[in-house]
């Protein structure tokens, strides 16, 4: 695919404009004191909170004398990074590679805790066609899912979480901020932040998702040392990105594809979205991105493979 400088510039400008005005996840790598903040976001919900019924396929709790091991849907034994200074949660952004041309496509399945009424009214926070396309193209991917999304779409969470093509990582339960300010998102304190992470993993278990990994993506991409300290008991690796797709609220799949293709390097982590209402052209963009990167010699991998190198 020929890269259009004009389209890339336009997409970047749109990303910056949206990020300045909107709250959500999947942005750039702007540095903040003690951490990083995203530049691009998903629209925050304003309706009162609502919860979906638990999946009828939810696994039963382990018996007292059950064999020792992770519960179905608990974080698996995927590779993690060593803790940072003073035990802070480690942060992964990109694999430092020179020869092996691998790239990880990641998709944020966003739904905030107060968006139940919007879903009930017909707004779609899922994107089953995107998942079908990734399966059809045989693209291993990492889905950063909120617990609220798993509650709203338990059958899809189970389907994704039992497909070896995918791994499910934690994107919090509520999609509230772990650092303030963060694009107007409600903020959680340290104790509530850790509980939010645990609640998301519990939602994955209820949905029957098995292929979960001990990775976490901060809502809005916003974090600082205090957030990393609050997250450290969860023993997860925080996963950011080095390539912003610009797919949030985009209307031109070509511009999204070109922005990704212009930014990918060996070992890159690309942030995209798995929410139809907030990222309606992502599936079309994937149909352009995947064959072109393969033509360039890239191999698609999950985040766990990049971290394990």
């Amino acid at each position: 695919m020929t890269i259009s400088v004009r389209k890339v510039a336009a997409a970047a400008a749109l990303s910056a404009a949206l990020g300045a005005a909107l709250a959500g996840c999947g942005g750039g790598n702007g540095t903040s004191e003690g951490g990083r903040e995203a530049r691009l976001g998903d629209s925050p919900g304003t309706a009162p909170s609502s919860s979906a019924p638990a999946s009828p396929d939810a696994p039963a709790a382990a018996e007292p004398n059950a064999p020792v091991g992770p519960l179905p849907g608990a974080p698996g034994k995927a590779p993690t990074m060593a803790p940072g200074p003073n035990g802070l949660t480690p942060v992964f952004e990109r694999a430092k590679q020179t020869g092996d041309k691998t790239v990880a496509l990641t998709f944020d399945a966003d739904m905030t805790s107060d968006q139940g009424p919007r879903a009930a009214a017909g707004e779609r926070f899922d994107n089953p066609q995107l998942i079908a396309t990734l399966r059809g193209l045989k693209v291993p991917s990492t889905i950063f899912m909120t617990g609220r999304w798993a509650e709203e779409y338990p059958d899809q969470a189970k389907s994704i979480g039992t497909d070896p093509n995918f791994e499910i990582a934690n994107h919090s339960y509520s999609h509230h901020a772990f650092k303030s300010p963060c694009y107007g998102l409600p903020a959680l304190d340290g104790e509530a932040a850790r509980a939010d992470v645990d609640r998301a993993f519990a939602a994955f278990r209820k949905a029957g998702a098995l292929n979960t990994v001990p990775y976490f993506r901060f809502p809005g991409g916003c974090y600082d040392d205090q957030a990393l300290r609050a997250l450290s008991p969860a023993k997860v690796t925080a996963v950011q990105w080095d390539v912003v797709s610009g797919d949030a609220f985009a209307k031109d799949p070509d511009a999204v594809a070109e922005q990704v293709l212009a930014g990918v390097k060996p070992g890159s982590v690309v942030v995209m979205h798995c929410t139809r209402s907030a990222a309606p052209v992502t599936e079309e963009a994937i149909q352009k991105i995947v064959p072109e990167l393969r033509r360039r010699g890239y191999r698609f991998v999950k985040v766990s493979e990049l971290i394990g190198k």
Side-chain angles (χ1 to χ4, degrees):
M1 175 181 291
T2 301
I3 302 298
S4 164
V5 175
R6 178 180 59 80
K7 283 188 175 182
V8 171
L14 175 61
S15 297
L18 286 168
L22 299 169
C25 72
N29 285 333
T31 302
S32 65
E33 183 178 354
R36 295 185 184 275
E37 289 185 331
R39 292 196 186 98
L40 179 62
D42 292 335
S43 174
T46 56
S49 61
S50 172
S51 59
S55 167
D57 299 322
E63 295 295 331
N65 297 322
V68 176
L71 288 170
K77 293 185 178 180
T80 54
M81 294 173 62
N86 300 316
L88 293 182
T89 297
V91 181
F92 178 81
E93 293 181 353
R94 173 177 171 250
K96 301 298 186 271
Q97 300 181 21
T98 55
D100 189 11
K101 297 178 74 171
T102 55
V103 58
L105 298 184
T106 71
F107 300 87
D108 291 356
D110 292 339
M111 188 172 183
T112 62
S113 58
D114 60 0
Q115 289 176 333
R118 289 167 57 180
E123 185 171 349
R124 299 307 300 258
F125 297 92
D126 62 340
N127 195 338
Q129 184 56 51
L130 170 62
I131 298 300
T133 295
L134 292 170
R135 284 178 170 135
L137 293 172
K138 295 180 170 56
V139 179
S141 308
T142 303
I143 312 297
F144 285 85
M145 188 179 293
T146 66
R148 185 64 188 86
W149 194 100
E151 286 183 348
E152 188 69 31
Y153 306 107
D155 292 341
Q156 291 187 55
K158 181 178 181 179
S159 177
I160 294 168
T162 53
D163 185 335
N165 204 56
F166 302 112
E167 60 188 11
I168 292 179
N170 195 312
H171 194 33
S172 81
Y173 174 84
S174 63
H175 204 267
H176 288 179
F178 283 56
K179 171 188 178 295
S180 184
C182 184
Y183 306 112
L185 290 174
L188 300 170
D189 62 24
E191 186 175 343
R194 171 62 201 279
D196 200 71
V197 174
D198 292 342
R199 189 177 180 187
F201 279 128
F204 304 157
R205 287 196 296 272
K206 278 191 173 184
L210 303 177
N211 304 331
T212 60
V213 288
Y215 306 145
F216 178 81
R217 176 164 285 166
F218 287 100
C222 305
Y223 70 92
D224 55 14
D225 281 357
Q226 184 175 344
L228 294 176
R229 192 172 296 110
L231 194 61
S232 62
K235 300 187 184 304
V236 296
T237 293
V239 176
Q240 296 288 92
W241 52 83
D242 67 302
V243 179
V244 180
S245 68
D247 67 338
F249 309 108
K251 299 184 183 300
D252 184 353
D254 290 334
V256 173
E258 291 175 4
Q259 184 157 319
V260 171
L261 294 171
V264 165
K265 306 176 185 66
S268 280
V269 176
V270 182
V271 59
M272 306 187 81
H273 293 83
C274 185
T275 46
R276 268 185 286 177
S277 62
V281 301
T282 304
E283 188 270 336
E284 292 178 72
I286 284 296
Q287 294 190 44
K288 302 171 186 296
I289 292 166
V290 169
E292 175 59 19
L293 285 178
R294 282 179 170 153
R295 187 190 67 78
R296 297 180 186 182
Y298 278 89
R299 180 171 63 90
F300 295 96
V301 298
K302 303 169 191 172
V303 167
S304 55
E305 182 169 336
L306 283 186
I307 291 179
K309 286 186 176 295

